[in-house]
Amino acid sequence: AQKVTQAQTEISVVEKEDVTLDCVYETRDTTYYLFWYKQPPSGELVFLIRRNSFDEQNEISGRYSWNFQKSTSSFNFTITASQVVDSAVYFCALRRGNDYKLSFGAGTTVTVRA
Amino acid sequence: AAGVIQSPRHLIKEKRETATLKCYPIPRHDTVYWYQQGPGQDPQFLISFYEKMQSDKGSIPDRFSAQQFSDYHSELNMSSLELGDSALYFCASSSGTGNYGYTFGSGTRLTVV
């Protein structure tokens, strides 16, 4: 069985603060894919990043960065210098190598106050 | 760039009615997925199709059925609607199993009254 845990239900920060979202996953597969999606108040799911299990290289994209550590089964996401537009629900998701479906975590609601 | 198109955006139905949701994938994507997201919940996988054949099945009620047509668009048919079916329904598409990520549509918000 596979499982994604996002222990933080809600995070509230003031603009320009950094915020890190935790994601811990469980899977017995050696090949798997991890994703982060953003769901703003308008409701759509916006793809942020995909990482496969063989690529532990961290990634930075603008104010977003991701830290993938297989040793701790974690795929954490950091928003640097947060902005009000970052306010959304963020989902971490896992897909087995030969599977079609994504298993989502419960999501973390981020509120950035001006 | 073309995205995944879902219609309608909003739908209100009464209990026991039937609803049909449509999904038009990104051009050249051959796989379509359906997810259901209840209020305050994470998206739950319902069903997927690859090359017009069902490829995977999740927690889809027997009252729901879906198919993928020759032009790769997909429809989710929901019968005998219940209040608990009120949710945001997402369609996503990918090439193959989506090893390069897959793209979600904007969703259809179904309200059953």
Side-chain angles (χ1 to χ4, degrees), chain B:
Chain B
V4 178
I5 306 298
Q6 290 188 247
S7 67
R9 290 297 306 275
H10 301 273
L11 189 59
I12 300 175
K13 290 286 187 178
E14 295 189 354
K15 283 193 304 183
R16 294 180 288 277
E17 284 193 319
T18 297
T20 297
L21 309 185
K22 296 185 178 182
C23 170
Y24 296 87
I26 289 173
R28 291 182 295 281
H29 277 189
D30 48 20
T31 308
V32 170
Y33 314 77
W34 287 98
Y35 287 79
Q36 177 192 57
Q37 185 180 24
Q41 304 294 314
D42 55 286
Q44 294 292 315
F45 173 74
L46 292 178
I47 196 166
S48 64
F49 294 88
Y50 169 66
E51 284 291 346
K52 292 150 279 184
M53 300 288 289
Q54 181 181 306
S55 54
D56 202 354
K57 189 173 181 180
S59 49
I60 183 169
D62 292 340
R63 299 178 288 108
F64 294 7
S65 65
Q67 58 181 324
Q68 186 180 31
F69 294 87
S70 57
D71 64 351
Y72 295 99
H73 94 272
S74 178
E75 294 183 4
L76 176 66
N77 297 293
M78 310 158 69
S79 63
S80 302
L81 287 169
E82 302 173 355
L83 295 178
D85 296 328
S86 295
L88 192 52
Y89 289 84
F90 286 104
C91 172
S93 75
S94 71
S95 177
T97 55
N99 286 351
Y100 298 96
Y102 46 82
T103 304
F104 283 85
S106 297
T108 294
R109 187 170 297 279
L110 172 67
T111 303
V112 182
V113 298

Side-chain angles (χ1 to χ4, degrees), chain A residues 21-32:
Chain A
L21 310 181
D22 299 332
C23 173
V24 174
Y25 62 92
E26 294 176 30
T27 182
R28 294 179 185 160
D29 297 284
T30 55
T31 301
Y32 53 89

